[in-house]
């Protein structure tokens, strides 16, 4: 490698920013009558692409609590959020000032137990319940598609084993 090429590479590395951290909820429900797994997708406010509820870190809230808060504010759903991450994905985001940054999003599963009639971003997005396969077709980020596929497998195993959500008291 020439000295000039090496200098150019070093300068490029110096100005590269680390990914910005966000937290998201992969919201799901299992239909009582059919046992069918559905996941929640919504449109982003800026580009209209299909996404899951996500947001920036919040003071005095841990990552999974942020994910649950974003699900309520953006999609009007509440439920039980897992404390262990499902995984993460990255995507390019254009900030308000026009600067492009890479965001790394940690994703937490949230089993939806209720839907709010009114919520912060009601009317600003389209919210739909779809199968994991449909979610894979709609989302643009390949890493997020992989999370939906892995989640589908995990839930299929859990549902086929008939694992109860709660262990009854004896």
């Amino acid at each position: 490698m020439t000295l000039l090429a090496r200098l150019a590479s070093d300068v490029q590395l110096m100005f590269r920013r680390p990914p910005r951290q966000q937290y998201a909820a992969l919201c799901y429900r299992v239909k009582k009558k059919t046992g069918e797994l559905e996941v929640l997708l919504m449109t982003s406010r800026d580009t209209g692409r299909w996404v899951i509820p996500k947001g920036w870190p919040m003071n005095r809230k841990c990552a999974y609590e942020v994910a649950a808060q974003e699900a309520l504010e953006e999609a009007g759903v509440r439920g039980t959020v897992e404390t262990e991450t499902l995984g993460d994905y990255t995507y390019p985001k254009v900030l308000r000032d026009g600067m492009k940054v890479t965001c790394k999003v940690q994703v937490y599963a949230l089993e939806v137990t209720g839907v709010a009639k009114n919520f912060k971003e009601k009317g600003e997005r389209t919210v739909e319940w779809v199968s994991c396969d449909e979610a894979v077709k709609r989302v643009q980020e390949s890493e997020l598609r992989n999370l939906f596929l892995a989640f589908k497998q995990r839930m299929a195993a859990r549902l086929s084993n008939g694992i109860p959500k709660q262990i009854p008291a004896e």
Side-chain angles (χ1 to χ4, degrees), residues 30 35 37 132 148-163:
V30 178
L37 172 66
C132 283
F148 276 117
L149 292 172
F151 183 71
K152 177 185 171 184
Q153 282 187 315
R154 183 184 110 172
M155 290 301 291
R158 183 185 292 177
L159 295 170
S160 70
N161 290 337
I163 298 172

Side-chain angles (χ1 to χ4, degrees), residues 13 25 29 31 64 66 101 112 136 141 158 162:
L13 285 173
R29 66 185 182 190
K31 287 185 169 181
Y64 63 88
V66 172
V101 297
V112 173
V136 167
E141 298 83 5
R158 183 185 292 177

Side-chain angles (χ1 to χ4, degrees), residues 28-83:
Y28 73 97
R29 66 185 182 190
V30 178
K31 287 185 169 181
K32 284 187 177 138
K33 289 183 180 176
T34 62
E36 192 180 344
L37 172 66
E38 291 184 316
V39 292
L40 182 141
L41 285 182
M42 61 184 202
T43 54
S44 67
R45 289 188 297 182
D46 51 356
T47 64
R49 73 188 196 290
W50 291 104
V51 297
I52 59 177
K54 65 181 169 302
W56 303 106
M58 296 177 188
N59 288 335
R60 294 182 286 287
K61 282 194 188 283
C62 55
Y64 63 88
E65 291 172 324
V66 172
Q69 181 70 36
E70 293 297 336
L72 180 60
E73 289 179 7
E74 295 182 356
V77 296
R78 58 176 62 91
T80 307
V81 66
E82 293 180 9
T83 57

Side-chain angles (χ1 to χ4, degrees), residues 98-139:
M99 188 168 96
K100 289 182 184 176
V101 297
T102 299
C103 290
K104 181 177 181 180
V105 185
Q106 278 183 324
V107 180
Y108 295 85
L110 184 145
E111 183 175 15
V112 173
T113 56
V115 180
K117 282 190 170 36
N118 293 302
F119 53 96
K120 190 174 180 182
E121 296 183 15
K122 184 176 182 172
E124 297 179 32
R125 304 169 183 276
T126 300
V127 177
E128 286 187 24
W129 287 98
V130 299
S131 68
C132 283
D133 292 336
E134 181 62 25
V136 167
K137 290 177 190 171
R138 291 190 190 188
V139 298

